Amino acid sequence: MALSAFTGAGVAQQAARQGWNVLLLEQRDFAWGTSSRSSKLVHGGLRYLKEGDIKTTLHSVRERQRWLREAPELVAPQDFLFADCAGRKPGRWLFQLGLMVYDRMAGQRSHFYADLQRTHALAPGLNPPRLRGSLVFTDAKTDDARLVWRVLQEARNDGAVLLNYTVVQNLVWEAGRTSGVLLQDACTGQRYRVRTKAVVNATGVWADRLRADLGGKPLLRPLRGSHLVVPWARLPVQQAISLMHPRDGRPVFFYPWEGATLIGTTDLDHTENPDIEASITPAEVQYLLEAVNDQFPAIRLEPSDVLACYAGVRPVVDDGKGAASKATRDHVVRDESGVITLVGGKLTTFRLMAQDALALAAPHAGKVFARDNARVFTASAALPTVASSAVRQRLVARYGSLAAQWLRDVDASDLHFVPGTQTLWLELAVAARAEAVVHLDDLLLRRTRLGILLPQGAQEHLPRIRALCEPHLQWGDARWDEEIARYQALIQAHYALPAM
Ligand SMILES: Cc1cc2nc3c(=O)[nH]c(=O)nc-3n(C[C@H](O)[C@H](O)[C@H](O)COP(=O)(O)OP(=O)(O)OC[C@H]3O[C@@H](n4cnc5c(N)ncnc54)[C@H](O)[C@@H]3O)c2cc1C
């Protein structure tokens, strides 16, 4: 049994593929936690290399290469450009040395130094003080919430049972060991007791809550990271621009994502209740805009340019280091009386993290867990050519081996893009029909990302979305009105620009 979003999805997938009986429980929506609020990079962890963490970088680079091969529609290469400015750290030679090692780990050579002329050609308008050239290298990006869904889909195909809006209230103990969980259906309030042989506590920033009965020291140091989304036309970058913030030397970047430009991120201790969605602060907005305006002074990006904001909380393992940005990003796995807690790490390494947890869970479950290198993502069959290749690629990215079924009998108008985005109308209908949507925010913030890609959470399109999805959701007028009011309040409180 696994509890949670992305880390939990990996555990469920790896266990189900080995024939274990798996139940995955999520207290809100799948990927509602940190896993839909990340920077959406499937990166090899260049910054961990800078901190001397060779092992984490090596594992991350290898796993990144795996996802680029296995799910190329969903995990796509992204070029990064780092401006080389006289007097700014890290200097060209040190950075180049790091990139050489980074590339070597991936068995490729993708980096190069671009002189000033080429830098201007690659990133028109880039002009931080004392610019003299740039370093260009490749990493990868994804849609984090869809990546979670694809992993869950694989787990379900292998027999795992997945329940969203189901809260684990307590662990059940027998003779000093855990023997099950007490859970509650968050929609009906109904409670259940489920017997289990092993529990994997992959609840991210909530992990210490379930560990409370165990009496150990808290493991986590929750760190908030916030992002801005701006229209691509206001910050029209082709490359991801990576920089050290001029104020404090922290890594910041912005890059094209889903037709918009994403700017991130901050790294601050987060002491608020994790049950309340995190929100960006005005100071974080200023900090991120300052980073962009340092690199592209002529653009003069302002708060009024912001389409949406979002904040997530990193379940970082507390290693006692002072600065938040120095805290280790590696994962930790613990077996405490049959409760396997798996926290930390990142999207890229979910498969290895899951295997570490299952190796510890196996004796409790009466199984032998064999680590393997088998594919995680089932290959998709060729799709009918009723759609353009861009549309086919998008469908494979989102539905993997199920993509072909959504093209059967499709209405041609559903293969158009929602204006101003790269999202197909079809994606909304598919989510409403077959992707366990319980609330409107599940549909607009996680199954699709329209809520952070369009002004006011895509308010303008709500009438068409309602018409398209009602046949599948069958909410009726009163429920739709309730859902829309709930959604708008959520957007206003956590995804809109705060009062500056
Ligand atoms: C700002 C930011 C940027 C990041 N950028 C990147 C990046 O670019 N690349 C990368 O690889 N990683 C990145 N990360 C890290 C990555 O997002 C996280 O490591 C990962 O999402 C953690 O996944 P998780 O499943 O452990 O936690 P979560 O996604 O938070 O999942 C835990 C889930 O457990 C559920 N839960 C909690 N308690 C219970 C309970 N009692 N019963 C049932 N369910 C429960 C929660 O609702 C939650 O959905 C970033 C993180 C942040 C915050």
Side-chain angles (χ1 to χ4, degrees):
M1 165 179 295
L3 315 174
S4 105
F6 195 51
T7 305
V11 172
Q13 182 275 329
Q14 289 285 309
R17 193 143 297 175
Q18 299 222 357
W20 296 25
N21 291 325
V22 178
L23 173 63
L24 178 135
L25 304 167
E26 164 55 56
Q27 63 178 353
R28 307 262 185 116
D29 184 32
F30 300 122
W32 173 80
T34 309
S35 299
S36 56
R37 304 160 200 264
S38 80
S39 303
K40 308 173 197 326
L41 295 172
V42 178
H43 56 77
L46 188 57
R47 55 177 288 207
Y48 314 132
L49 194 62
K50 179 172 158 263
E51 278 144 32
D53 194 346
I54 307 275
K55 190 184 96 203
T56 305
T57 314
L58 183 63
H59 288 161
S60 308
V61 167
R62 289 188 177 157
E63 291 300 286
R64 178 195 69 193
Q65 296 305 100
R66 164 187 286 273
W67 309 132
L68 283 165
R69 280 193 307 274
E70 274 197 29
E73 298 82 7
L74 185 57
V75 180
Q78 172 64 56
D79 284 344
F80 277 70
L81 188 148
F82 184 89
D84 173 32
C85 301
R88 280 201 187 181
K89 286 187 179 168
R92 169 181 171 178
W93 301 112
L94 188 62
F95 204 124
Q96 237 167 338
L97 181 68
L99 290 177
M100 211 171 69
V101 176
Y102 200 53
D103 266 358
R104 183 69 70 87
M105 287 175 169
Q108 64 182 21
R109 188 191 158 106
S110 73
H111 75 278
F112 62 89
Y113 187 82
D115 62 16
L116 199 52
Q117 195 183 4
R118 193 164 177 198
T119 298
H120 286 316
L122 289 168
L126 181 78
N127 199 17
R130 298 182 294 282
L131 177 69
R132 57 186 178 191
S134 61
L135 288 136
V136 182
F137 59 100
T138 309
D139 239 311
K141 66 180 172 186
T142 191
D143 175 339
D144 48 5
R146 289 308 309 188
L147 187 59
V148 173
W149 189 261
R150 284 282 306 274
V151 176
L152 288 175
Q153 188 179 302
E154 295 295 339
R156 195 174 50 188
N157 288 349
D158 284 324
V161 174
L162 317 170
L163 299 176
N164 55 353
Y165 292 95
T166 309
V167 190
V168 173
Q169 295 195 305
N170 286 109
L171 300 170
V172 179
W173 298 93
E174 269 173 36
R177 310 199 58 76
T178 178
S179 63
V181 292
L182 283 179
L183 55 94
Q184 183 170 38
D185 181 325
C187 301
T188 63
Q190 194 89 21
R191 294 177 182 201
Y192 305 89
R193 175 187 280 240
V194 175
R195 287 195 71 81
T196 61
K197 288 188 176 156
V199 172
V200 177
N201 169 20
T203 52
V205 284
W206 291 263
D208 281 328
R209 237 184 229 180
L210 275 179
R211 291 180 64 252
D213 286 354
L214 302 166
K217 272 195 359 201
L219 276 176
L220 293 175
R221 176 179 183 183
L223 293 175
R224 182 176 71 250
S226 301
H227 294 83
L228 303 176
V229 185
V230 298
W232 185 79
R234 264 311 267 130
L235 185 53
V237 283
Q238 298 288 356
Q239 322 279 332
I241 305 296
S242 162
L243 69 141
M244 298 301 182
H245 199 289
R247 215 196 285 177
D248 58 7
R250 275 198 55 257
V252 177
F253 58 82
F254 37 101
Y255 72 94
W257 185 76
E258 288 285 306
T261 302
L262 202 65
I263 307 166
T265 171
T266 53
D267 213 357
L268 297 159
D269 281 304
H270 185 78
T271 48
E272 277 122 76
N273 180 350
D275 292 342
I276 299 166
E277 296 201 28
S279 308
I280 195 168
T281 60
E284 288 173 279
V285 175
Q286 291 296 5
Y287 176 87
L288 293 172
L289 292 177
E290 202 177 304
V292 173
N293 291 329
D294 168 72
Q295 300 280 299
F296 288 86
I299 282 186
R300 294 175 194 274
L301 206 65
E302 294 189 2
S304 57
D305 291 310
V306 172
L307 276 176
C309 313
Y310 66 88
V313 186
R314 299 177 181 86
V316 169
V317 177
D318 190 358
D319 57 4
K321 293 214 176 125
S325 57
K326 296 260 183 292
T328 178
R329 303 298 147 110
D330 205 359
H331 67 277
V332 158
V333 57
R334 291 260 171 101
D335 177 356
E336 293 161 306
S337 310
V339 181
I340 316 299
T341 296
L342 175 61
V343 284
K346 51 207 173 73
L347 305 176
T348 323
T349 48
F350 76 90
R351 189 185 69 95
L352 302 178
M353 291 164 58
Q355 293 190 349
D356 286 352
L358 291 171
L360 285 185
H364 301 290
K367 308 270 185 194
V368 176
F369 181 75
R371 286 177 195 267
D372 68 27
N373 270 322
R375 277 184 76 100
V376 166
F377 297 107
T378 315
S380 162
L383 296 190
T385 49
V386 289
S388 68
S389 69
V391 166
R392 293 201 303 268
Q393 183 167 334
R394 187 158 180 100
L395 295 180
V396 173
R398 271 143 194 84
Y399 310 114
S401 57
L402 298 182
Q405 90 181 51
W406 301 122
L407 270 182
R408 260 181 247 138
D409 307 324
V410 70
D411 188 320
S413 64
D414 290 349
L415 292 180
H416 293 158
F417 293 110
V418 176
T421 74
Q422 300 172 352
T423 305
L424 301 165
W425 289 107
L426 177 68
E427 293 171 43
L428 290 149
V430 169
R433 181 166 160 188
E435 294 189 338
V437 166
V438 174
H439 290 294
L440 189 56
D441 52 294
D442 305 342
L443 181 71
L444 297 180
L445 289 171
R446 289 170 289 278
R447 301 305 179 279
T448 71
R449 317 309 300 271
L450 295 177
I452 55 169
L453 290 168
L454 290 170
Q456 286 107 41
Q459 162 131 345
E460 185 193 347
H461 298 294
L462 290 181
R464 178 157 176 193
I465 292 169
R466 182 173 175 164
L468 188 66
C469 297
E470 176 56 11
H472 309 298
L473 295 173
Q474 303 200 329
W475 282 348
D477 287 347
R479 173 80 189 274
W480 269 103
D481 292 348
E482 232 173 74
E483 287 293 335
I484 288 174
R486 176 193 136 108
Y487 174 68
Q488 285 170 335
L490 190 71
I491 292 290
Q492 205 45 48
H494 304 292
Y495 297 88
L497 190 73
M500 300 292 293

